Amino acid sequence: MEGLAGAKLGAATIATMQTRLATYAYPRIGHLEVQTIDATVRADLLRPNWTSKPETALRVRQAIIRILRFLRPDGHLLENSLAEAVSDRLPKLPDSQHHAAMPHTEAPAFWRKLAAKETKGFLAL
């Protein structure tokens, strides 16, 4: 399926993108004309979720950039500056937090405990 701005996107990806935009973007900027959606407007839109839901905010930003690239006559020229201009107006994203690794000495007990449950999670592992 041909998606926004010529990218080939699957139906599920397009549906997810539309849901994110409907939830996070359209209520605040859906009534605006495309040429009025500048970096400050996009930053204001993303700010509430930028640090609390960074992955969502980044994906909403990406979707907005795709749309603006497609709808604006100069969109293809703005692609790199669109993301940077918005990020410059927002706080630094928090560093990702990774889960600590399990000590290898605890692995046998973990597997025994998991095997006793016979859940789909165990089968997947």
Side-chain angles (χ1 to χ4, degrees):
M1 176 179 265
E2 193 73 18
L4 297 170
K8 293 183 181 182
L9 303 173
T13 302
I14 291 172
T16 302
M17 185 184 301
Q18 288 172 336
T19 300
R20 281 190 186 111
L21 289 169
T23 302
Y24 299 103
Y26 297 156
R28 302 214 28 216
I29 65 171
H31 64 284
L32 299 176
E33 294 181 15
V34 174
Q35 64 271 18
T36 65
I37 302 174
D38 62 6
T40 302
V41 170
R42 291 190 310 272
D44 290 343
L45 166 75
L46 297 170
R47 189 168 285 108
N49 296 311
W50 191 251
T51 54
S52 63
K53 298 177 185 176
E55 184 67 26
T56 299
L58 287 169
R59 297 208 184 229
V60 170
R61 181 185 73 171
Q62 179 184 35
I64 292 169
I65 289 170
R66 279 182 182 269
I67 291 168
L68 293 177
R69 271 188 7 220
F70 182 73
L71 294 178
R72 289 180 56 147
D74 60 346
H76 66 286
L77 300 173
L78 298 173
E79 182 175 354
N80 292 333
S81 62
L82 287 173
E84 290 174 14
V86 173
S87 296
D88 290 346
R89 289 168 169 76
L90 294 167
K92 183 180 180 300
L93 285 175
D95 293 332
S96 59
Q97 300 295 318
H98 298 284
H99 296 285
M102 177 187 297
H104 74 280
T105 56
E106 295 177 19
F110 169 77
W111 283 108
R112 282 191 296 277
K113 182 178 176 182
L114 193 59
K117 294 186 178 199
E118 297 184 17
T119 63
K120 289 183 181 180
F122 169 73
L123 294 174
L125 289 172

